[in-house]
Amino acid sequence: MLSFNLLVGVCLGYVCLLFLVAFAAEKRARAGKAGWLRSPVVYTLSLSIYCTGWTFYGAVGNAARSGLEFVTIYLGPTIVMIGWWVILRKLVRIGRTQRITSIADLISSRYGKSTSLGVLVTLLAVVGTTPYIALQLQSVTLAFGVFGGPSRDGNATAVWVAIGLALFTVIFGTRSLDANERHHGVVIAIAVEAVVKLVALCALGVFVVWGVAGGPGDAAQLIEASPISQWDMQPDRWVTLTFLSATAFLCLPRMFQVLVVENSDERHLATASWAFPLYLLLISLFVVPIAVVGLAVMPAGANPDLFVLTVPLAFDREGLAMLSFLGGFSAATSMVIVAAIALSTMVSNHIVMPIWLNARSGGATVSGDVRHVVLLSRRISIAGILALGYIYYRYSGGGAALAAMGLIAFVGVSQVLPALIGGIFWRGATRIGAGLGVAIGFAVWLYTLFLPSFGEGVVFPASIYEVGPWGIWLLRPQALFGIEGMDPLVHAVFWSLALNMAAFFIGSLLSFPRPLERLQGATFVNIYRYSDSTRGWGQSFVEAEDLLVMAQRILGAGDAQALFVRVAAEQGKRGYLPDVTPEFLDLLERELSGSVGAATAHAMLGQLTGGVTVSVEDLMRVADETAQMMEQRIQLEAKSGELEITARQLRDANEKLTQLSVQKDAFLSQISHELRTPMTSLRAFSEILMDSEKMAGSERKRYSSIIHDETLRLTRLLDDLLDLSVLENGQVTLNTQPVTVSAVLDRAIGATQSRDEANSLRIIRERDREDVTLVTDPDRLAQVFINVVSNAQKYCDAATPELRISVSAVGDRVVVDLIDNGSGIPKDSQSMIFEKFARLSDQRAAGGAGLGLAICREIMVRLGGGIDYLPGQGGAAFRVTLPQALAAAA
Amino acid sequence: MGGRVLLIEDEPNIIEAIRFILSRDGWAVDVHSDGATALEAVAKRNPDLVILDVMLPNKSGYDILADLRADPETEALPVLMLTARGQSKDREMAERIGVSRFMTKPFSNAEVLNSVRELAGQ
Amino acid sequence: MNDRPEPMFLARETYRRRRLMDAARFLPFLGAFVFIIPALWAQATGTAAGKIYIFGTWICLICLAFIISRRLPTAGQADEAEKEPGRSGPG
C-alpha cells in the first residue's frame, strides 16, 4: 500500500511543478515572448477544464450505475464545438471587440450596461458554482481517503486543498488587472493539467483493456457479461442531459473565461472545433471498460466513483494508481482555479465596484487608487468563493453521488442561456425580459432542485413534497403543476427553462428598451457588420487631462499614457492629450471596461463627463435600421473621418510653417537681444575705464570684474548656440559607453547642488530601481538631467520643493520621470517650453538664455530617445526616454 | 547742467554704466526697473528726460511710451529709447509712437551723453 | 483565348465558400440528430453495440469538423471582392 505521506509529498511536488510552469509562462509573456503560449493547442487544452473531478471519478461511477448515460455530458459540448461557426464565433467576436470580462459582463453590457442584471447573473453564478467547487473538494478528499484509510480526517484535507487553491489563484489569477492581458500562467498550468488528466485516464484504460481483460475483443465480452450489458436507456434523461451539458458548456462562468476571455485569436476556435471533441472522445473512451472491470473485481458495495483509484490498487499497480490520483487532482484543481478567477472578476466588477463607486459618489474618479481596490476585492472574492465551496461541502452531507451535485450546478447556470442566446441573435430582447427570465428560472431552480438537494427534511420539511407548500398541491417542488412521474432533474430543467424562456420572451415583447439597450442590442446582434464601434458618448465637455488622470488610476500610468498618445497620433496630434471626441470616449470606455466591467466603466465616465448618456445623434442611429443605410453611413463616416484627419494634419502643418517663419524672425531678434545686452555693458564699461584716468582702485576693480562677468556670459551663450547648432545639424560625435542610470543621475545632481546651496531642492530617488545599465553618451545624458534638475531648482514654487525621480524599464527602453511638486507648467505653455528662448516668466534672475530645454530635446533625439512634458502629474514633470543600447548610428 | 533723468531699465550692469556716465556729467539719475509701475515713477520723479528700455518685465517700452504720449502732462517729455533689438522695424515702430530719440545697444558713452544734453536742452 | 473561364472559376470559389459556411452552420444540427437517435432504439440494444455507434458517429463528426474548419476562410473575409483576372492571351 502506498503511504499517505508519500502521496502528500508527490502532490506537493506536483503543485510546485505547476507553480514553476505558471511562473515561467508569466515571465515569458511579460518579456513579450508569448508565442507558443498562445497556440491553438494550448487553447484547446485549456478548454479541458470542462472535464473536472466529476468527469474523472464520477464518469466511471455513472457508467457503473447507468451504463452509457455518462457520455451525454460530452456529447453536448461536442455539438457546441462543432457548431462553433454559429454561436461561439459570435461570442468570441463580441467578447473581443467589446472587451467583455465575464458572462455577467456580457449580459449586463448587452442589456444597456445594466448594473442590476450584472448583479443578478453574478449571484446566480456564485450560487450555481458553489456546489461545483464543493464537488471538487469532495473528489480530492475522497481520493485521499482511498490512500489514507478511514482514520484520516477528510475535513482537514478539504481545508488544506481549499487554502492551497486560493493561494495559487490569488498569485496567478490577480496579477494583471486588465482582463485582456489574460492569465498566461494559469492557462499554461491548466494545459499541463489537461495533458496529465488525459494521460492518466488513457494509461489506466490501456491497462484495463490489455492488461486485465486481454484485448479489445475480450473487453467487449466482459462488457456483455457485466451487469450493465443491457443499455438501460431513459430517453428523457438522455436528451435532457445532452441539452443540459451543451447549455452549461456555454454558460458556465469558467467555460466563458477560457472560451471567450482568454481567447487571443479567433482562429484558435477553428482548431478547437475538432480538437476539443477529440479530447472529449479520448477521455471517455475507456470509461466503460474501467467501470466493467471495477464491477467485476471489486467487492459488492465498493464506491464506483473511486474505481479509477481502487482498480489499479487491487492489481497492486501503485504507480498507475498514483498517476490516476494526479489526474483526478489536476481535474479538480484546474476547474476550481479558473472558476474562482471568473467568479472573482464578476463579483468585483458587478458587486464591489458599483457599491464602492456609490459610496464615494462624485469623488471616485478624482481620488484613490481604483486598481488597488479592484485587485483587493478580487483577492478577497477568491478566498470567499473557496470558503463558500468548503462550507457547502461540510453541510451538504458530502455523501451525494458526485454526478448529481455536478448536474445541479449545471441546471443553475443554464438559466443564463435564454438571455445569452436571445441577446446575441434577437434585437428585440430587452433588459426587463432578460431580468425576469433569469430571476424566474433561478427561483424555480432553487425551489425544485437546489434546495431539495440537501435532502428531505433539511430545508423543506418532508410534508412539502407530499402536499405542497401551505397545502397547495400544484406547487410540490418535484411535481410542479401536478405533473408527476418525471425524473426530478428532467422536471427541474423542463420547468425552470420553460418558465425562464416564457418570461424572457413575454417580458421583452411587452417592455420598451432604453436607447442604450437598443444601441447595444444592434451592436451585439450585428457584430460582424460593424466590428468595433459602439456609440454611447455625445459631445461633452471634459478635459483630456482629467480623463488621463482617471485612466492612469485604472489602467496604470504606462498603459494609459500609451493609449492617449496613440489616440492623439491617430487624430494627427502630437503629445499626450487627444481631442475629446465621442469616438475617443467610446474607446476609453471599452479599455476601462476591460478592467472594471462595462457598467462600472460607463458610470465612471458618466461621472466625469457630467452624466451624458445618449445624444440625439445616437437616437437617430438607433432609429435608422435598414442595413443599406447603415452601410452607406459607415462608408461615409470612414471617408469623412479620413478627410478630417488629413485636414487636421494639413492645418497642423500650415500652423507649423507659419510658426517656423515667425520663429525664425523671433529667433534672430532674440539672438540679437541676447548678444547685444552683454555687449552694451562691455562697451560702456570699457569706455568708462578708457576715459577716466583718475578713478579709485576699488571702482576700477569693480568695473573690470563686470566686464569679466559679461564676457563669461557671452561665452556661455555662444557655447549654447554652438552646441545647439551642432546638435541640430547632426554633426555631433557621441562618446558611448556602458553606464548605469544611477551613476549619471549622481553626477547630474552633484553638479547642480554645488551650484546653489540656498535653494534647497529635496531630491527623492528610488535607488534600487535605478540600477539599469545603458549604453549611451553619459556626458550628454548628464547634461540633460542637469538642465531639468536646475530648472526645478529655479522654478519649483512649492514651500518645500521636492523633485521625485523614478526610473523604469519598458521593454528595451528606459524611462526616467522627473516630477516636482510645484504648480507645474500651464497647459497652453506646455507645447512651447522646448522651443528656443522660451523662458516662461521673464526672470533675468534665472540666468541662462532659455536654450536649455531646446538643447535637451536635441540631445535626446541624438541619443535615440526623447524628452517630453508629462501632463497630469501634479507638478512640472519631464519624461526622458531612451533606448537601453544606442544603435551604432553614424 | 544738473537736470533730472529717469532711467527705466532692468539690466543691472547697464543701469550702473549709465548712472556713472550721467552723474559724472552732473545729472541726477533715478532708476526704475519695472514696466508696470513706470508711469507712476515718471509722475512722482517728474524728470526732465526719460531713458527707456524696450524689453522690460511686465510692460514693454513701447506701451509705456504710448501711455506717456497720451497723457497731456507728459506728451512733450523727452524720451530716449534704448533697445537691444537692432532691426529697422523696431526703430520705425518707436518713431511712429513718438520717441524723441532712438538708440541701439551697444551705444557709445559719448553718444548717450550728447543725446541727453541735447534732449534735456539746457 | 482562355481567360474567359477565370471569372467563372472565381465566382464558383466564392459560391463554394458560402456553401461551406452553410455546412458549418448545419453541422451542429447533424450532431444533435445523430446523438438523439439512440433515444429511439437503445432499449433493445446492448451497451457494447451502443458504444460502437456513439463513438463511430462521434469520430465522423470530428472528421467533418476538421475538414470544414480547415477550409473555412479566416474570420470576416468571406465576401472578399473578386480580383480582376490578368490577361494572358497570346500576342
Side-chain angles (χ1 to χ4, degrees):
Chain A
M1 194 73 184
L2 273 169
S3 88
F4 183 68
N5 289 337
L6 176 65
L7 191 73
V8 172
V10 169
C11 243
L12 285 178
Y14 180 65
V15 171
C16 287
L17 178 78
L18 289 181
F19 261 96
L20 283 179
V21 167
F23 186 71
E26 291 265 318
K27 211 172 153 191
R28 262 186 90 85
R30 253 205 319 281
K33 288 181 273 190
W36 57 269
L37 295 180
R38 285 304 177 183
S39 66
V41 176
V42 171
Y43 179 69
T44 306
L45 287 175
S46 75
L47 297 187
S48 78
I49 55 150
Y50 177 76
C51 310
T52 62
W54 168 18
T55 303
F56 204 82
Y57 300 113
V60 173
N62 195 348
R65 279 186 283 265
S66 33
L68 271 176
E69 190 184 278
F70 80 93
V71 89
T72 52
I73 295 304
Y74 305 110
L75 296 184
T78 299
I79 294 172
V80 174
M81 281 313 292
I82 62 175
W84 65 289
W85 190 259
V86 184
I87 297 177
L88 286 178
R89 192 171 64 105
K90 195 161 191 175
L91 276 181
V92 168
R93 178 72 67 87
I94 291 172
R96 293 169 58 79
T97 53
Q98 302 290 315
R99 314 280 311 242
I100 299 295
T101 58
S102 65
I103 188 156
D105 194 28
L106 181 93
I107 299 288
S108 143
S109 181
R110 159 63 180 84
Y111 296 104
K113 311 189 181 181
S114 151
T115 309
S116 48
L117 258 183
V119 172
L120 186 62
V121 175
T122 302
L123 281 180
L124 176 79
V126 170
V127 177
T129 309
T130 304
Y132 221 115
I133 290 176
L135 174 64
Q136 308 308 319
L137 295 179
Q138 185 191 5
S139 73
V140 175
T141 314
L142 279 179
F144 269 115
V146 168
F147 292 91
S151 63
R152 291 286 166 186
D153 182 3
N155 289 332
T157 315
V159 170
W160 283 113
V161 171
I163 291 174
L165 287 173
L167 206 65
F168 186 93
T169 316
V170 166
I171 291 177
F172 291 101
T174 58
R175 217 175 205 165
S176 56
L177 181 53
D178 188 326
N180 274 48
E181 280 168 33
R182 305 192 176 88
H183 308 92
H184 299 278
V186 172
V187 169
I188 285 295
I190 292 167
V192 171
E193 294 192 298
V195 173
V196 172
K197 291 192 276 215
L198 187 61
V199 167
L201 213 52
C202 286
L204 183 60
V206 166
F207 166 71
V208 163
V209 171
W210 279 274
V212 179
D218 297 322
Q221 277 174 13
L222 210 58
I223 293 173
E224 287 302 326
S226 77
I228 55 168
S229 69
Q230 202 54 36
W231 192 351
D232 183 20
M233 163 65 87
Q234 290 172 277
D236 54 347
R237 268 183 77 86
W238 177 267
V239 174
T240 305
L241 287 177
T242 307
F243 169 74
L244 194 58
S245 62
T247 305
F249 188 72
L250 282 171
C251 299
L252 281 169
R254 67 170 196 277
M255 289 318 296
F256 192 87
Q257 178 80 24
V258 286
L259 267 172
V260 178
V261 181
E262 304 279 352
N263 178 292
S264 58
D265 186 339
E266 230 170 274
R267 279 167 299 179
H268 292 173
L269 208 49
T271 306
S273 76
W274 56 268
F276 186 61
L278 187 63
Y279 183 96
L280 292 178
L281 181 135
L282 290 176
I283 216 160
S284 50
L285 195 56
F286 294 108
V287 168
V288 173
I290 295 170
V292 167
V293 168
L295 286 173
V297 299
M298 298 308 292
N303 184 354
D305 281 339
L306 294 174
F307 279 174
V308 174
L309 299 174
T310 48
V311 166
L313 283 178
F315 288 97
D316 282 330
R317 295 300 185 109
E318 294 183 347
L320 203 54
M322 178 71 82
L323 186 62
S324 285
F325 176 81
L326 281 184
F329 186 72
S330 295
T333 51
S334 55
M335 176 272 160
V336 175
I337 289 166
V338 180
I341 290 177
L343 284 181
S344 72
T345 308
M346 288 158 74
V347 170
S348 92
N349 284 359
H350 297 282
I351 297 180
V352 178
M353 284 309 290
I355 292 174
W356 187 80
L357 266 180
N358 260 348
R360 329 185 37 158
S361 63
T365 46
V366 188
S367 65
D369 190 342
V370 179
R371 281 157 71 79
H372 184 68
V373 176
V374 173
L375 282 182
L376 188 69
S377 78
R378 285 197 189 167
R379 286 176 184 150
I380 293 173
S381 311
I382 288 171
I385 287 156
L386 281 164
L388 269 182
Y390 174 73
I391 291 167
Y392 185 94
Y393 162 74
R394 275 300 297 272
Y395 294 101
S396 68
L402 293 180
M405 267 159 91
L407 287 174
I408 290 168
F410 269 23
V411 183
V413 296
S414 296
Q415 302 307 324
V416 182
L417 185 77
L420 176 73
I421 299 297
I424 64 172
F425 287 105
W426 182 34
R427 287 184 59 177
T430 71
R431 184 176 56 99
I432 303 284
L436 274 178
V438 173
I440 288 177
F442 186 42
V444 174
W445 169 71
L446 279 179
Y447 184 66
T448 59
L449 197 63
F450 184 71
L451 295 179
S453 78
F454 290 92
E456 259 181 48
V458 176
V459 183
F460 296 144
S463 64
I464 284 194
Y465 297 93
E466 300 294 326
V467 296
W470 306 288
I472 304 171
W473 185 74
L474 288 180
L475 292 184
R476 282 172 300 162
Q478 295 183 334
L480 276 185
F481 308 114
I483 296 176
E484 289 181 67
M486 275 167 107
D487 179 276
L489 182 82
V490 176
H491 172 268
V493 170
F494 178 76
W495 282 118
S496 64
L497 279 175
L499 293 173
N500 179 338
M501 283 184 210
F504 171 64
F505 189 66
I506 295 169
S508 293
L509 289 186
L510 296 183
S511 62
F512 193 81
R514 298 178 302 182
L516 194 55
E517 272 178 74
R518 302 190 65 191
L519 211 59
Q520 291 292 91
T523 313
F524 276 49
V525 173
N526 301 326
I527 191 75
Y528 301 123
R529 201 176 305 151
Y530 43 134
S531 255
D532 56 6
S533 107
T534 42
R535 298 291 155 83
W537 297 104
Q539 207 66 47
S540 64
F541 306 96
V542 57
E543 285 286 328
E545 195 159 351
D546 296 336
L547 292 175
L548 179 59
V549 171
M550 181 186 74
Q552 285 184 127
R553 293 234 161 80
I554 299 172
L555 302 173
D559 288 354
Q561 285 156 11
L563 172 74
F564 276 61
V565 168
R566 201 186 74 220
V567 175
E570 275 165 19
Q571 291 181 352
K573 290 184 71 176
R574 276 175 55 93
Y576 286 89
L577 300 176
D579 289 342
V580 184
T581 58
E583 290 77 18
F584 172 53
L585 284 174
D586 279 332
L587 176 76
L588 189 61
E589 185 184 327
R590 272 204 303 282
E591 292 290 332
L592 295 181
S593 68
S595 299
V596 293
T600 309
H602 195 69
M604 293 185 93
L605 273 179
Q607 280 189 348
L608 263 192
T609 52
V612 187
T613 44
V614 177
S615 68
V616 177
E617 186 194 354
D618 296 327
L619 289 172
M620 280 171 62
R621 274 178 64 95
V622 179
D624 207 340
E625 286 182 355
T626 63
Q628 230 177 353
M629 292 276 287
M630 199 72 98
E631 220 137 90
Q632 281 175 356
R633 179 182 296 269
I634 287 166
Q635 280 169 6
L636 273 175
E637 261 171 22
K639 268 192 200 130
S640 76
E642 258 169 50
L643 276 177
E644 204 176 309
I645 287 179
T646 318
R648 203 179 324 213
Q649 280 166 344
L650 275 176
R651 212 158 48 231
D652 263 18
N654 189 32
E655 228 164 76
K656 263 239 145 74
L657 280 177
T658 327
Q659 266 176 10
L660 268 180
S661 127
V662 172
Q663 265 171 18
K664 200 194 77 190
D665 287 352
F667 182 63
L668 285 176
S669 161
Q670 278 282 7
I671 293 227
S672 161
H673 180 265
E674 298 292 337
L675 289 172
R676 279 168 195 271
T677 302
M679 272 161 69
T680 308
S681 302
L682 286 177
R683 184 164 173 188
F685 283 108
S686 48
E687 282 185 12
I688 288 169
L689 287 178
M690 276 192 301
D691 60 26
S692 33
E693 290 89 18
K694 51 180 193 313
M695 187 179 273
S698 63
E699 243 177 355
R700 181 181 297 275
K701 194 169 174 190
R702 202 177 124 57
Y703 293 155
S704 318
S705 80
I706 291 179
I707 292 178
H708 179 249
D709 288 349
E710 291 288 1
T711 324
L712 286 185
R713 176 170 162 191
L714 210 51
T715 317
R716 208 160 54 230
L717 176 65
L718 288 173
D719 281 346
D720 276 1
L721 277 174
L722 213 60
D723 210 10
L724 193 61
S725 115
V726 166
L727 282 164
E728 281 185 338
N729 293 328
Q731 299 160 334
V732 62
T733 28
L734 293 175
N735 177 20
T736 56
Q737 61 191 76
V739 64
T740 64
V741 178
S742 174
V744 180
L745 281 171
D746 282 347
R747 225 167 89 187
I749 289 164
T752 51
Q753 241 148 15
S754 60
R755 201 181 288 171
D756 195 351
E757 284 294 333
N759 195 352
S760 59
L761 177 75
R762 202 163 81 86
I763 292 175
I764 303 163
R765 297 172 59 181
E766 298 162 5
R767 286 196 176 270
D768 49 328
R769 304 186 57 182
E770 285 174 5
D771 195 24
V772 182
T773 305
L774 296 165
V775 178
T776 191
D777 184 331
D779 297 329
R780 287 300 196 175
L781 188 57
Q783 197 182 343
V784 172
F785 289 145
I786 289 172
N787 234 301
V788 177
V789 173
S790 60
N791 272 350
Q793 275 175 346
K794 288 175 206 157
Y795 301 115
C796 180
D797 51 3
T800 50
E802 281 178 7
L803 180 72
R804 184 178 299 278
I805 302 179
S806 60
V807 180
S808 53
V810 179
D812 57 350
R813 297 186 79 76
V814 178
V815 175
V816 184
D817 288 343
L818 303 107
I819 303 172
D820 74 21
N821 61 345
S823 55
I825 294 172
K827 200 182 148 211
D828 43 349
S829 307
Q830 286 171 10
S831 57
M832 270 172 44
I833 49 175
F834 293 104
E835 302 302 334
K836 292 161 209 136
F837 299 115
R839 239 183 331 224
L840 293 182
S841 53
D842 210 25
Q843 290 168 313
R844 290 293 142 83
L851 288 174
L853 285 173
I855 291 175
C856 287
R857 188 175 62 178
E858 289 302 326
I859 291 177
M860 290 317 300
V861 170
R862 296 294 150 225
L863 294 181
I867 177 167
D868 290 293
Y869 187 75
L870 207 57
Q873 305 297 324
F878 290 89
R879 165 164 289 183
V880 175
T881 35
L882 68 166
Q884 217 148 40
L886 181 60
Chain B
M1 299 287 155
R4 295 183 73 86
V5 173
L6 177 61
L7 172 60
I8 306 177
E9 164 69 74
D10 66 328
E11 272 287 329
N13 288 341
I14 296 179
I15 293 171
E16 181 150 8
I18 293 179
R19 191 207 287 275
F20 181 87
I21 298 159
L22 293 183
S23 20
R24 196 173 52 179
D25 198 49
W27 298 84
V29 182
D30 294 315
V31 177
H32 191 80
S33 300
D34 182 47
T37 53
L39 290 177
E40 285 92 325
V42 172
K44 194 173 142 203
R45 308 278 185 192
N46 192 21
D48 300 311
L49 171 89
V50 172
I51 300 179
L52 183 60
D53 185 28
V54 174
M55 296 264 289
L56 285 169
N58 302 325
K59 187 169 181 181
S60 90
Y62 295 130
D63 293 341
I64 296 171
L65 179 59
D67 288 349
L68 284 175
R69 289 298 176 246
D71 183 353
E73 284 277 311
T74 54
E75 75 185 329
L77 182 68
V79 175
L80 168 60
M81 214 162 189
L82 300 174
T83 179
R85 291 182 178 171
Q87 286 175 320
S88 57
K89 66 172 190 203
D90 293 309
R91 176 182 294 276
E92 282 159 23
M93 170 97 155
E95 276 163 4
R96 207 165 47 241
I97 303 174
V99 76
S100 314
R101 186 157 299 185
F102 188 87
M103 287 174 70
T104 314
K105 294 179 187 173
F107 43 79
S108 91
N109 294 355
E111 206 181 334
V112 172
L113 198 55
N114 286 337
S115 301
V116 170
R117 283 175 181 161
E118 278 169 34
L119 289 172
Q122 278 127 341
Chain C
M1 295 295 275
N2 56 356
D3 53 5
R4 249 184 87 95
E6 272 204 35
M8 281 294 287
F9 176 72
L10 281 172
R12 186 188 298 165
E13 184 85 325
T14 318
Y15 179 86
R16 286 179 66 183
R17 217 184 291 151
R18 289 266 171 89
R19 297 296 81 79
L20 203 61
M21 283 156 72
D22 289 345
R25 286 192 195 97
F26 173 70
L27 199 57
F29 296 97
L30 178 70
F33 178 74
V34 300
F35 287 148
I36 283 174
I37 287 180
L40 304 175
W41 48 251
Q43 242 86 6
T45 317
T47 297
K51 199 183 159 187
I52 290 167
Y53 171 81
I54 294 278
F55 283 81
T57 49
W58 204 343
I59 285 175
C60 288
L61 286 173
I62 290 170
C63 292
L64 284 176
F66 176 75
I67 293 166
I68 290 173
S69 74
R70 274 308 171 89
R71 293 194 167 193
L72 268 176
T74 45
Q77 293 158 10
D79 302 315
E80 244 175 80
E82 293 174 13
K83 285 179 205 145
E84 236 178 291
R87 276 183 70 92
S88 58

